[in-house]
Amino acid sequence: MRLRFVWQILPAFFFLILLTLLLLTWLFARNLSNFYLEETAAGLEARARLAAFQITDSFALDHSGRLDELSIRLGKETGTRFTFILPSGAVLADSLEAPERMENHALRPEIAIALTGTIGQATRYSNTVHKNMMYVAIPVQNQDHLLGVVRAALPVTTIDQALGIVYRQIIVSGMVVMLIATLIGTYISRRISRPLEEMRRGAERFARGELTERLRVRGSEEIAALATAMNTTAYELDQRMRTVVRQHNEQEAVLASMVEGVLAVDTSERIIRINRAAAALIGVTPEEVKGRGIQEAIRKADLQRFVRRALSARDPVEGDIVLHGTEDLYLQAHGSPLRGESGQELGALIVLNDVTRLRRLENVRRDFVANVSHELKTPITAIKGFVETLQEGAIKDPDSATQFLDIMMRQADRLNDIIDDLLILARIEQDSDQGDLPLTEMSLINVIESAVQACASMAAEKQIHIEPFCPTTLKARINAPLLEQALVNLLTNAIKYSQQEGRILIEASRSDSTITISVRDWGCGIDKVHLPRLFERFYRADKARSRKLGGTGLGLAIVKHIAQAHGGEVTVTSSLGAGSTFSLQLPARTQQHQASLPSAVPTTPSTLPPAED
Ligand code: ADP
């Protein structure tokens, strides 16, 4: 149990005071009683001598009557008991008692000494007077002849009374001193403990992290020095904490701003750090997984395996991870061991790069190459087949030969169309990539009319009526030849997929920030399932019909790229049997239009697609 400061001081105070009082009392009492006894002894001796002087002549048995009278008178006048004793020890006279009733005194210690010729002294309880008495006996001599002994005696109780008074006074003053000592002790302990208490509260504040507060430097030198030392400690601690917090914030800022996902685990696979990018990739929040084991926090088998590999490896490791989910994520992972200052293993650091886009791009490229090859191969195979047939003798049959050559011509035209469309696409992409697609503010009506004009003969063939609607004042920043190409593609499709004598509406309008040019037909329409992929290269909703009508499957992809090159987009609404509406949305009033790129990879060769369609 901890005692309060005051309870540690006061017992010591009391002990010291008590010790001092006892010592002083003892010394004082001893000296006082010594002095008193010496004085009494000296007085008794003087009185005995005076008495002896008066009786030297008559110190014999036959003078006992006179001596008795003398002793009583002396005793009364001096308040002292006198006894005259013969050398035999027989009592000759006594001031308080009849001598015949008194026994032989030769063996009383003081008498025995006096009988030897020196002064005898003794203090003891007297049965005669029932008091503590001091006896002084002197020998009475007449020319070396011992006549007897004169003894004077006084009670010594007065000394006890005197000492009793002294003791009482000492006890009373001792109590007063103790009271004063208590007050002083309490005051001193308060003076010492109050600043200490203050310091304790200060230290508790420091412990709570309130390090900017300072302790008051006051009190004794030692306490003031302690307060100064604690203030210095708090200052140092505050500085260090600030540095640590700053460094931590900097690290957090660096980690947070990194595009790469960063994940740090300790040797027991517990997540120490995870940045937002990593958490987003994995599909968690940093708060929910921090401090937890990777096995339970992140249920991605590939990632767990990689973390284990990075932890067990001595050197950096690399690997590909697929995180399966609604959409698979492809990650490139780098893992390196984390080591402390002295080289001890702390865990591993894993950096994750999202390469899903690149992977998709690679897939698209692969698909594209496969598609192009396939598209080119079909007419080439056909041409080759007819050439072989001709070689094998059909050439000799003019009718068949003409027919075959016509087919070969059509196939060659098809090849040509595909290559033309591919070149158009490549050129748009290249111009967009380099950002030098020229855009000029101009009237839309001219472009629309040119497109309608270009399709007029094709429409006429199917007796289709094209109705253009466009305010004459409507202007936009466009690349006229490209926009015309896009509209021609849309009109061509509308004609191709409409019935005879059909109707096509081409209309331009403007809302706040968008100019919309829509091409509407009432033809065969497109099934919903095809709509999301309709603008991909070589995607055909109705393959047979498209081939039959000489489509390349690239028309809508070109429209999409032209729209994107203008910073706009193309959309479609359609339902099977009810016709379709394709809408080109272009930004209106762009101050400084930069041809925006269809999601492009700068290094992509123009003959290959830059991104997913
Ligand atoms: P194609 O050269 O085959 O027409 P496009 O890229 O122009 O290729 O069109 C892709 C596919 O979209 C076509 O194969 C066709 O099935 C469908 N399509 C395009 N426009 C229309 C339309 N107006 N009505 C119905 N289907 C259409």
Side-chain angles (χ1 to χ4, degrees):
M1 195 186 81
R2 300 251 176 268
L3 285 177
R4 284 181 66 86
F5 197 66
V6 64
W7 296 119
Q8 296 190 355
I9 281 188
L10 282 187
F13 263 52
F14 289 163
F15 177 73
L16 273 179
I17 290 165
L18 215 63
L19 196 72
T20 313
L21 280 178
L22 284 176
L23 201 70
L24 283 178
T25 312
W26 179 71
L27 281 172
F28 181 74
R30 209 179 67 144
N31 286 342
L32 188 71
S33 63
N34 280 350
F35 175 75
Y36 175 82
L37 291 175
E38 275 166 23
E39 281 296 297
T40 312
L44 283 173
E45 188 188 331
R47 283 171 218 189
R49 281 193 193 286
L50 274 173
F53 181 72
Q54 287 190 30
I55 59 156
T56 319
D57 300 339
S58 49
F59 204 89
L61 252 180
D62 45 348
H63 292 292
S64 68
R66 197 177 84 83
L67 284 176
D68 211 20
E69 194 183 314
L70 184 70
S71 71
I72 289 168
R73 214 180 67 229
L74 279 174
K76 259 193 196 141
E77 281 172 17
T78 61
T80 312
R81 178 182 175 195
F82 284 100
T83 316
F84 301 119
I85 300 138
L86 288 169
S88 62
V91 177
L92 203 56
D94 189 279
S95 56
L96 292 180
E97 191 67 74
E100 54 278 7
R101 293 211 341 237
M102 291 169 70
E103 61 191 41
N104 189 299
H105 272 45
L107 290 178
R108 298 284 196 279
E110 70 281 1
I111 308 290
I113 296 165
L115 288 176
T116 62
T118 50
I119 299 168
Q121 188 190 327
T123 305
R124 66 170 172 281
Y125 188 77
S126 160
N127 285 327
T128 318
V129 288
H130 303 293
K131 274 180 186 164
N132 250 348
M133 300 287 286
M134 177 183 268
Y135 302 95
V136 173
I138 58 163
V140 184
Q141 285 167 324
N142 191 1
Q143 291 154 4
D144 294 340
H145 173 67
L146 183 71
L147 296 175
V149 172
V150 173
R151 186 181 76 172
L154 268 176
V156 284
T157 42
T158 39
I159 181 73
D160 293 336
Q161 283 165 2
L163 282 176
I165 292 167
V166 170
Y167 288 150
R168 268 199 299 284
Q169 284 173 351
I170 284 176
I171 287 170
V172 170
S173 50
M175 277 163 68
V176 172
V177 170
M178 288 237 197
L179 189 71
I180 294 170
T182 309
L183 293 176
I184 292 175
T186 314
Y187 173 72
I188 290 176
S189 71
R190 283 257 169 85
R191 269 198 65 146
I192 296 174
S193 61
R194 198 171 296 154
L196 282 178
E197 183 75 12
E198 220 170 87
M199 235 169 286
R200 182 180 64 84
R201 266 183 262 127
E204 280 169 0
R205 280 202 305 275
F206 291 162
R208 282 199 300 272
E210 297 166 24
L211 292 168
T212 45
E213 306 246 338
R214 291 288 170 264
L215 297 173
R216 270 192 292 170
V217 178
R218 57 178 200 163
S220 66
E221 195 188 321
E222 292 87 343
I223 287 172
L226 182 62
T228 313
M230 281 175 68
N231 283 342
T232 315
T233 311
Y235 173 76
E236 294 284 335
L237 215 60
D238 191 33
Q239 292 300 312
R240 272 182 215 174
M241 293 277 279
R242 278 171 202 275
T243 313
V244 170
V245 168
R246 203 190 59 238
Q247 284 173 349
H248 179 263
N249 288 347
E250 282 169 5
Q251 273 180 13
E252 284 293 316
V254 169
L255 280 181
S257 59
M258 276 176 79
V259 185
E260 291 85 2
V262 178
L263 175 73
V265 290
D266 64 12
T267 45
S268 52
E269 296 186 13
R270 203 173 296 279
I271 298 168
I272 322 170
R273 278 286 179 86
I274 181 167
N275 71 348
R276 295 234 159 254
L281 284 176
I282 298 164
V284 292
T285 61
E287 295 74 26
E288 73 181 88
V289 295
K290 221 179 247 177
R292 289 170 63 197
I294 195 149
Q295 306 295 338
E296 49 146 351
I298 299 175
R299 300 191 173 274
K300 307 276 180 190
D302 264 16
L303 185 60
Q304 292 177 356
R305 254 195 304 279
F306 185 79
V307 169
R308 232 171 286 139
R309 210 179 110 206
L311 278 172
S312 54
R314 309 201 118 262
D315 299 311
V317 289
E318 264 187 50
D320 290 328
I321 295 175
V322 184
L323 299 184
H324 300 287
T326 38
E327 263 186 59
D328 287 356
L329 277 183
Y330 294 87
L331 306 181
Q332 204 172 47
H334 295 261
S336 35
L338 278 177
R339 294 194 201 285
E341 274 174 22
S342 50
Q344 81 276 25
E345 278 187 21
L346 296 179
L349 184 77
I350 284 99
V351 179
L352 302 169
N353 269 305
D354 185 2
V355 289
T356 313
R357 261 180 70 78
L358 278 175
R359 283 287 149 83
R360 276 206 203 123
L361 210 61
E362 276 167 22
N363 289 344
V364 169
R365 264 180 214 168
R366 229 187 351 257
D367 290 354
F368 175 73
V369 172
N371 283 341
V372 171
S373 312
H374 178 73
E375 292 293 332
L376 295 179
K377 205 156 171 73
T378 320
I380 287 172
T381 315
I383 292 171
K384 231 177 122 191
F386 285 113
V387 170
E388 279 168 11
T389 319
L390 286 172
Q391 279 173 341
E392 281 163 13
I395 198 162
K396 289 179 187 137
D397 175 2
D399 285 348
S400 309
T402 319
Q403 191 194 347
F404 290 167
L405 284 172
D406 277 352
I407 298 173
M408 283 163 69
M409 189 62 188
R410 272 209 303 280
Q411 293 299 339
D413 281 345
R414 192 168 148 67
L415 269 179
N416 203 38
D417 285 349
I418 292 175
I419 288 164
D420 276 351
D421 278 355
L422 282 174
L423 283 174
I424 291 172
L425 265 178
R427 205 172 316 120
I428 300 168
E429 277 169 14
Q430 196 176 27
D431 288 350
S432 302
D433 274 357
Q434 291 164 359
D436 57 5
L437 189 76
L439 297 177
T440 31
E441 179 92 10
M442 60 190 300
S443 221
L444 281 178
I445 188 151
N446 297 335
V447 184
I448 290 174
E449 274 173 357
S450 297
V452 172
Q453 199 64 48
C455 300
S457 63
M458 193 183 172
E461 268 177 38
K462 284 178 89 173
Q463 291 160 320
I464 288 172
H465 182 58
I466 304 175
E467 299 167 31
F469 285 100
C470 179
T472 44
T473 50
L474 193 57
K475 287 182 166 188
R477 273 179 66 81
I478 52 165
N479 180 295
L482 278 186
L483 188 64
E484 191 183 320
Q485 168 85 62
L487 293 179
V488 166
N489 283 9
L490 291 178
L491 285 172
T492 316
N493 279 348
I495 297 167
K496 274 198 286 188
Y497 301 105
S498 289
Q499 289 82 7
Q500 288 278 339
E501 298 174 17
R503 176 183 167 224
I504 296 169
L505 200 66
I506 174 161
E507 187 180 18
S509 63
R510 175 185 178 148
S511 69
D512 279 349
S513 57
T514 323
I515 290 171
T516 309
I517 309 171
S518 58
V519 176
R520 181 165 185 198
D521 67 64
W522 281 264
C524 62
I526 308 159
D527 196 333
K528 271 210 300 295
V529 291
H530 300 296
L531 295 183
R533 300 188 60 194
L534 204 64
F535 295 95
E536 285 179 20
R537 290 157 215 238
F538 299 118
Y539 189 84
R540 293 177 176 97
D542 186 341
K543 284 198 178 81
R545 197 194 297 233
S546 166
R547 288 240 163 77
K548 204 176 107 208
L549 295 170
T552 59
L554 290 167
L556 287 182
I558 293 173
V559 175
K560 180 181 147 186
H561 279 79
I562 292 174
Q564 287 177 341
H566 280 82
E569 57 173 353
V570 58
T571 53
V572 58
T573 51
S574 182
S575 59
L576 209 54
S580 322
T581 306
F582 287 85
S583 301
L584 265 175
Q585 270 114 22
L586 308 178
R589 220 199 326 259
T590 1
Q591 288 303 318
Q592 269 200 323
H593 180 75
Q594 273 269 323
S596 78
L597 314 183
S599 46
V601 175
T603 50
T604 315
S606 58
T607 45
L608 287 178
E612 313 95 294
D613 279 288

